[in-house]
């Protein structure tokens, strides 16, 4: 095992880089950055649909508004609900960002609900994929 000794300035620089990266959500979880705007909107609608069906609410206990916008945690109500869901299914770190880590930890019954929401809020291609069970 290696030991690294850093001074206070270097420690603060490293922590600052981490805080900056996580506040902009440049982590692995944000896998939908390559989506087109309409695909991202549809996917965000599916996330909001899923969380509402699961009864996961924002920090004030309110159902999510279906607007296709997630926003940044902790200010965003949708991101607050995502963080609550991540806690429920033991995703670490809880960051309010929906992505591969969150979807990998979803129980199978939740995946079924999520796939239905993706189909409901997706384009015709996603509806066909779901109809034939290819999702």
């Amino acid at each position: 095992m290696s030991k690294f000794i850093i001074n206070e300035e270097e420690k603060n620089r490293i922590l600052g880089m981490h805080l900056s990266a996580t506040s902009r959500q440049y982590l692995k979880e944000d896998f939908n950055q390559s989506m087109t705007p309409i695909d991202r909107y549809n996917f965000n609608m599916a996330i909001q649909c899923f969380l509402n069906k699961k009864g996961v609410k924002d920090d004030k206990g309110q159902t999510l508004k279906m607007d296709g916008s997630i926003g940044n945690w902790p200010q965003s109500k949708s991101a607050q609900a995502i963080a609550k869901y991540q806690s429920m299914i033991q995703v670490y770190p809880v960051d309010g960002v929906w992505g591969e880590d969150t979807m990998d930890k979803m129980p199978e019954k939740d995946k079924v609900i999520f796939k239905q929401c993706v189909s409901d809020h997706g384009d015709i291609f996603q509806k066909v994929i779901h109809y034939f069970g290819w999702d």
Side-chain angles (χ1 to χ4, degrees):
M1 177 185 348
S2 298
K3 281 189 175 183
F4 295 93
I5 299 174
I6 60 174
N7 62 28
E8 193 70 20
E9 181 182 340
E10 184 66 10
K11 178 187 92 171
N12 290 334
R13 186 183 73 77
I14 292 167
L15 289 174
M17 288 180 353
H18 171 71
L19 289 173
S20 175
T22 57
S23 69
R24 290 186 305 237
Q25 299 183 358
Y26 287 162
L27 302 175
K28 178 183 172 194
E29 279 283 88
D30 200 9
F31 72 100
N32 69 3
Q33 286 296 342
S34 62
M35 292 182 181
T36 66
I38 191 69
D39 288 340
R40 186 175 303 117
Y41 172 83
N42 290 343
F43 191 72
N44 289 347
M45 289 285 285
I47 293 167
Q48 291 167 331
C49 164
F50 169 77
L51 293 168
N52 283 338
K53 284 186 177 190
K54 288 291 295 177
V56 182
K57 301 180 184 324
D58 68 20
D59 288 349
K60 292 185 178 179
Q62 297 182 356
T63 302
L64 298 180
K65 180 178 162 186
M66 297 286 295
D67 62 4
S69 176
I70 299 296
N72 294 322
W73 184 63
Q75 296 83 8
S76 161
K77 295 179 182 305
S78 292
Q80 292 169 4
I82 291 170
K84 283 185 178 186
Y85 181 71
Q86 288 173 324
S87 292
M88 290 168 52
I89 62 171
Q90 300 176 346
V91 171
Y92 181 80
V94 171
D95 58 6
V97 179
W98 190 276
E100 294 173 11
D101 293 344
T102 302
M103 294 193 329
D104 287 347
K105 285 270 191 152
M106 292 173 76
E108 288 303 315
K109 62 184 170 104
D110 287 1
K111 288 179 182 180
V112 171
I113 297 167
F114 183 67
K115 286 177 184 179
Q116 183 62 55
C117 287
V118 168
S119 174
D120 291 348
H121 296 282
D123 58 20
I124 189 70
F125 181 69
Q126 289 163 324
K127 292 178 189 326
V128 169
I129 286 173
H130 185 70
Y131 178 79
F132 286 107
W134 298 332
D135 52 356

